[in-house]
Amino acid sequence: MMRRFFSFCLEACCLGACLLLPALDARAAELPIRKAGLWEMKMVKTGSVLPEMTMQHCTDETTDKEMSTAVSPMSKEVCSKRDVQKTATGYTSDTECSVVGMTITSHADITGDFNSAYTVKTTSHSEHGPSSVPRDATTTIEAKWLGACKPDQKPGDIVMPGGFKINIKDAEKLKNLLPK
């Protein structure tokens, strides 16, 4: 159970970070920078042992921009497709990534103003290898701005359920936690 929780937390961090990356294709759109401060992000995933998780992310303009440049090389290593497009109601994102023998294809619809709230609805299809059963999942992230970061928080801090805190600037260290 703890391993599933850790995997869910790692996925949540990666999903949140990947959604804020600039597009790999120069013709594609870039997502706006979120308003500085503390964001509450409620993630609901269908078909999971842990179907709902709420976390808080302290950010500022510099950190959101740094997330793009810090995680982008990792994204380029594992994602063969990353396309973000501006739509009439927000943005769409289509990706195809392979990590530790698992291929994940996803489509996300992103709406909101990135100043007070935004929503990301993602459908994904994953295959874990030739002998595994493919899995389809739907994940919804509802993010809302809460105000200024708490006094003990610094930009990049993500607080998970149970008080587990990690700074997104340590994403390179997270990469080392993935099984080879």
Side-chain angles (χ1 to χ4, degrees):
M1 182 70 166
M2 191 62 181
R3 181 181 169 136
R4 286 183 183 158
F5 176 74
F6 178 74
S7 174
F8 191 72
C9 291
L10 184 60
E11 180 181 343
C13 286
C14 290
L15 181 61
C18 288
L19 290 172
L20 296 172
L21 293 174
L24 295 177
D25 183 345
R27 294 169 295 160
E30 289 189 26
L31 295 175
I33 299 295
R34 294 176 295 169
K35 182 177 183 175
L38 187 61
W39 285 86
E40 178 180 84
M41 300 168 67
K42 178 178 155 187
M43 185 166 82
V44 178
K45 183 174 181 175
T46 60
S48 173
V49 175
L50 302 168
E52 185 176 308
M53 179 173 68
T54 300
M55 58 188 153
Q56 293 185 345
H57 186 194
C58 173
T59 192
D60 64 8
E61 183 177 346
T62 302
T63 302
D64 263 10
K65 287 180 181 178
E66 285 176 359
M67 283 174 54
S68 298
T69 57
V71 183
S72 185
M74 187 169 87
S75 174
K76 287 179 183 177
E77 289 175 20
V78 299
C79 298
S80 60
K81 177 183 178 183
R82 174 112 173 60
D83 183 32
V84 177
Q85 297 294 324
K86 177 86 173 106
T87 67
T89 58
Y91 298 85
T92 62
S93 172
D94 291 291
T95 60
E96 184 171 317
C97 304
S98 295
V99 179
V100 296
M102 175 177 31
T103 300
I104 303 170
T105 305
S106 66
H107 172 81
D109 292 307
I110 306 156
T111 57
D113 64 10
F114 292 86
N115 285 312
S116 62
Y118 63 92
T119 301
V120 181
K121 292 182 181 180
T122 305
T123 55
S124 62
H125 176 79
S126 63
E127 296 190 17
H128 302 277
S131 62
S132 70
V133 176
R135 289 183 39 177
D136 293 317
T138 302
T139 305
T140 301
I141 297 175
E142 294 175 350
K144 66 179 178 181
W145 188 77
L146 299 178
C149 295
K150 295 177 182 174
D152 64 336
Q153 293 176 328
K154 62 184 180 202
D157 281 351
I158 297 175
V159 180
M160 302 284 193
F164 176 75
K165 182 167 43 169
I166 188 166
N167 193 289
I168 196 67
K169 294 178 183 180
D170 295 329
E172 190 63 30
K173 294 175 188 172
L174 284 176
K175 184 174 136 180
N176 295 328
L177 296 175
L178 292 172
K180 304 292 182 217

